[in-house]
Amino acid sequence: MRRIKGFAALTIAASSVLAACGSTGSSTTNATATTNVTVAYVPIPLFDPLYIAMAKGYFAKEHINVHLTVVSSGQSATTLAATNRVQVVLGGFSAGMFDAIHQGLDFKVVGSMAAEAPGPAANGLVVANGVIPAGKTLTGSELRGKKIGIDGGAGAAGGYLLAEALKPYHLTLSDVNVVNLGLPDMQTALANHSVVAAYPSAPFLSAILAARDGTLVSPAPVNAAVVGVIYGGAFAKTPAAQRFFDALAKGAQDLQGSAQTSAANLAIIAKATGESTAILKSEPPSIYAPNLAPPIATLGAMQNVYITNGLVDYHHPMGTSTFVDASFANHVPTS
């Protein structure tokens, strides 16, 4: 997972969330009809393939007319996808998502988005200064029962990442006091010790470390993708579903290796997200699978964490086929 900037401000940026929503429609009835597809998303640099594919005309070449609608979180849009008020959601995976699928809502995870890259951490567990005794290393006793800030709380994607970070200290989410803390508020909370630890993302992570308001003790797992692509069930059955996915994957293919920070791509991403190209270039990169294959292993692990910690309303794991459809990624052209 990559940086998240100004998330709280995005909740007031929702534009035409219902006006743009509706069932998938075509302008004509022939085989190359233009299909309207509404995508619910949060305009942050976790979904760069979308911005690249739109700006470079990849959707248009697939006869897809994309309508964007801003939401506060991907989790809040899954009901819209299940009822075909939007066709696609780009967002984080959460306990609420798993509960909704278990309850029978008609949508599935079909692809991945940004994953953590090797090298400098974009996300990670940070403990406040003074928590680790002088000359010692962190142990579970410094965290047990204490407040740890997570954007969205324990049931959000960050809750899973925190659970992974706690494993080396022989702790689970149930052993700490997880509080919902917005990313922009984490630095202050660490500095004044209202929490003993938090799980920030860049650029908030880098700002905390630069100000020496905390110490990074556990970077996010490399290759972990906790955000992705969700299709509503009705849209998934249409011919446009594969064409949309092919265009989105082509955007991901343009972000491989050093191409991710090319001047042209950075300009597109900056315009779409409101971040400066200088900040985008300085932040840790993300990994995008060339075919945007859904992160099946990570999704299974997330479900288990949510079940173990009582964050979902069921007790036995669903099979991955219940919530994942990899067929679109499997059919992405290889060249």
Side-chain angles (χ1 to χ4, degrees):
M1 191 171 108
R2 196 178 169 185
R3 63 269 162 172
I4 302 179
K5 183 173 185 285
F7 182 82
L10 295 172
T11 60
I12 63 173
S15 60
S16 305
V17 68
L18 294 179
C21 297
S23 60
T24 308
S26 299
S27 59
T28 65
T29 58
N30 60 45
T32 58
T34 297
T35 302
N36 296 315
V37 176
T38 301
V39 178
Y41 81 120
V42 181
I44 52 179
L46 293 174
F47 310 123
D48 293 349
L50 173 70
Y51 317 136
I52 299 298
M54 290 190 70
K56 294 186 178 181
Y58 297 155
F59 289 115
K61 290 177 183 177
E62 295 288 352
H63 306 285
I64 300 291
N65 184 23
V66 173
H67 298 272
L68 297 181
T69 186
V70 178
V71 293
S72 60
S73 70
Q75 177 180 337
S76 67
T78 53
T79 299
L80 295 175
T83 55
N84 204 35
R85 296 173 76 184
V86 305
Q87 288 70 57
V88 180
V89 176
L90 302 185
F93 309 132
S94 65
M97 181 193 81
F98 285 101
D99 259 340
I101 294 171
H102 189 263
Q103 292 163 9
L105 269 68
D106 190 15
F107 63 87
K108 284 191 177 181
V109 177
V110 298
S112 60
M113 280 278 118
E116 189 81 7
N123 309 267
L125 180 63
V126 174
V127 297
N129 291 330
V131 172
I132 304 173
K136 304 288 186 180
T137 58
L138 183 69
T139 67
S141 60
E142 283 86 41
L143 300 176
R144 187 180 296 276
K146 304 297 176 55
K147 289 184 178 180
I148 299 180
I150 294 295
D151 186 43
Y160 163 73
L161 293 173
L162 174 59
E164 291 297 296
L166 292 174
K167 283 182 179 179
Y169 306 103
H170 307 290
L171 298 174
T172 69
L173 293 178
S174 300
D175 295 318
V176 298
N177 182 6
V178 178
V179 296
N180 186 356
L181 184 64
L183 291 164
D185 302 320
M186 289 182 179
Q187 185 168 1
T188 298
L190 288 165
N192 64 25
H193 285 233
S194 58
V195 297
V196 302
Y199 208 106
S201 301
F204 304 103
L205 173 59
S206 56
I208 291 167
L209 299 180
R212 298 184 179 180
D213 287 323
T215 301
L216 179 67
V217 296
S218 181
V222 173
N223 294 322
V226 296
V227 294
V229 187
I230 296 169
Y231 273 5
F235 176 64
K237 296 179 177 69
T238 68
Q242 186 65 55
R243 302 201 312 270
F244 179 95
F245 202 93
D246 290 348
L248 193 63
K250 190 166 177 56
Q253 291 159 16
D254 283 3
L255 294 168
Q256 301 301 305
S258 61
Q260 186 168 155
T261 54
S262 72
N265 284 340
L266 287 178
I268 291 169
I269 297 165
K271 183 177 181 179
T273 63
E275 292 203 54
S276 72
T277 55
I279 290 176
L280 289 170
K281 192 170 184 177
S282 68
E283 291 175 359
S286 297
I287 297 173
Y288 295 97
N291 68 340
L292 296 179
I296 296 174
T298 298
L299 284 161
M302 294 179 81
Q303 179 184 211
N304 288 334
V305 164
Y306 296 141
I307 291 174
T308 299
N309 290 277
L311 298 170
V312 292
D313 294 330
Y314 59 97
H315 306 289
H316 301 288
M318 297 180 288
T320 55
S321 62
T322 306
F323 51 84
V324 177
D325 183 351
S327 64
F328 301 100
N330 292 340
H331 287 92
V332 167
T334 56
S335 61

